[in-house]
Amino acid sequence: MVFDKNCVTPLYVQLKAELMNRINNGILKSGEQLPPELEMAENFSVSVVTVRSAVNELVKEGLIEKKRGKGTFVSNTKYKRDYTKIQSFSDSCRAMGSVAGSRVLEMKLEKADSSLAQKLGVNSGDRVLYISRLRTVNGEPMVIEKNYFPERFADLLNEDLEKNSLFLILQEKYGVTVTKSSKEVEIARTTSEEGKLLNLSKNYPILLVKSVAYDQFDTPVYVGSQAINGERFTLKI
């Protein structure tokens, strides 16, 4: 491609626009390495300085990242989760045009300690249902969910939560609709187990979202946490 050197728009801006267009249209794919600056300069018939200026602008905007000793790469796709809306993980992925997946890690009944019992509105020592799932986006592991439900939802043990929406089961089987939730977001670091599940190293920074969800009658439905790969997710709160 040859740019118009007589145009009032600087060459680096023209090149930046071309690279951005290729990224947005999937010609340059997420995680793909860009050619060296000299090669790009030759391909686009511009100077190395022009290439460097265009690339630096895209780095500032987060579309491209430089990895020391490795080169320049198209940044990994950032997925968005809108916490101002009450929606399931599956619905949020669908809104992004992505495919949600789920793998059940653990499902069991256990006794609630005093802190959990207070949040769930049950008595300390009462049985509660614990469900842990690994959530994926387009096949990539992104979130580890850990949720505690009152014992009245114990029949969820018999449901296929890898293929079916938990929110939909709550609506259809229990007549329960999650209408609001309180959330706290903090920075945490992965344990060895979390790192393996999310394909991250141990002690890697992640987003930890703690929540209590309520139904249409303001009754607690579940108390949960989500360990999220913050590099790949943007949260709207």
Side-chain angles (χ1 to χ4, degrees):
M1 180 175 183
V2 178
F3 297 109
D4 185 357
K5 295 183 180 180
N6 297 316
C7 179
V8 293
T9 304
L11 285 175
Y12 84 91
V13 176
Q14 295 182 52
L15 177 56
K16 173 191 172 185
E18 175 62 22
L19 292 174
M20 186 181 297
N21 181 62
R22 295 187 182 194
I23 291 170
N24 290 336
N25 289 321
I27 298 171
L28 289 172
K29 301 185 184 304
S30 176
E32 182 176 340
Q33 184 173 7
L34 272 65
E37 290 179 351
L38 181 58
E39 183 179 336
M40 290 178 66
E42 293 174 350
N43 291 340
F44 290 108
S45 299
V46 295
S47 69
V48 172
V49 173
T50 296
V51 171
R52 190 170 298 144
S53 297
V55 168
N56 286 340
E57 286 292 310
L58 291 172
V59 168
K60 290 179 184 178
E61 295 182 16
L63 291 175
I64 287 177
E65 58 182 332
K66 292 183 176 180
K67 298 181 181 180
R68 184 174 297 177
K70 294 183 179 180
T72 306
F73 298 80
V74 178
S75 297
N76 285 321
T77 303
K78 277 272 190 178
Y79 299 105
K80 295 181 180 180
R81 184 77 190 269
D82 189 352
Y83 276 139
T84 65
K85 300 178 180 178
I86 300 298
Q87 58 182 177
S88 68
F89 184 85
S90 298
D91 286 341
S92 69
C93 286
R94 197 174 295 113
M96 295 186 294
S98 302
V99 179
S102 180
R103 174 158 68 92
V104 174
L105 302 174
E106 191 173 11
M107 297 175 70
K108 64 180 180 179
L109 289 169
E110 59 181 69
K111 292 184 178 180
D113 60 24
S114 57
S115 176
L116 176 60
Q118 183 178 16
K119 293 175 183 176
L120 274 180
V122 300
N123 297 317
S124 180
D126 282 358
R127 293 203 309 173
V128 293
L129 173 63
Y130 171 71
I131 299 175
S132 175
R133 295 187 292 171
L134 176 65
R135 308 310 305 271
T136 62
V137 182
N138 296 333
E140 296 183 61
M142 293 291 171
V143 181
I144 300 171
E145 287 184 352
K146 298 179 180 181
N147 293 325
Y148 293 89
F149 297 81
E151 189 179 7
R152 65 191 177 100
F153 296 111
D155 281 350
L156 288 174
L157 285 168
N158 302 315
E159 299 289 343
D160 186 348
L161 298 181
E162 295 192 350
K163 294 182 179 179
N164 300 314
S165 167
L166 177 57
F167 272 36
L168 190 58
I169 293 172
L170 289 173
Q171 288 177 337
E172 293 182 347
K173 188 167 184 175
Y174 296 94
V176 167
T177 300
V178 177
T179 57
K180 68 177 182 179
S181 66
S182 62
K183 289 183 172 63
E184 296 178 356
V185 182
E186 61 184 73
I187 301 296
R189 292 187 178 273
T190 55
T191 63
S192 295
E193 180 183 0
E194 289 171 338
K196 290 177 182 177
L197 290 170
L198 294 174
N199 291 336
L200 301 172
S201 59
K202 182 182 177 182
N203 293 323
Y204 197 89
I206 55 173
L207 295 172
L208 182 63
V209 180
K210 299 178 181 179
S211 60
V212 182
Y214 301 87
D215 65 14
Q216 64 269 38
F217 306 109
D218 285 338
T219 303
V221 178
Y222 64 81
V223 173
S225 67
Q226 294 181 314
I228 303 171
N229 183 347
E231 267 198 347
R232 303 298 305 280
F233 258 89
T234 298
L235 305 182
K236 182 178 180 181
I237 300 176

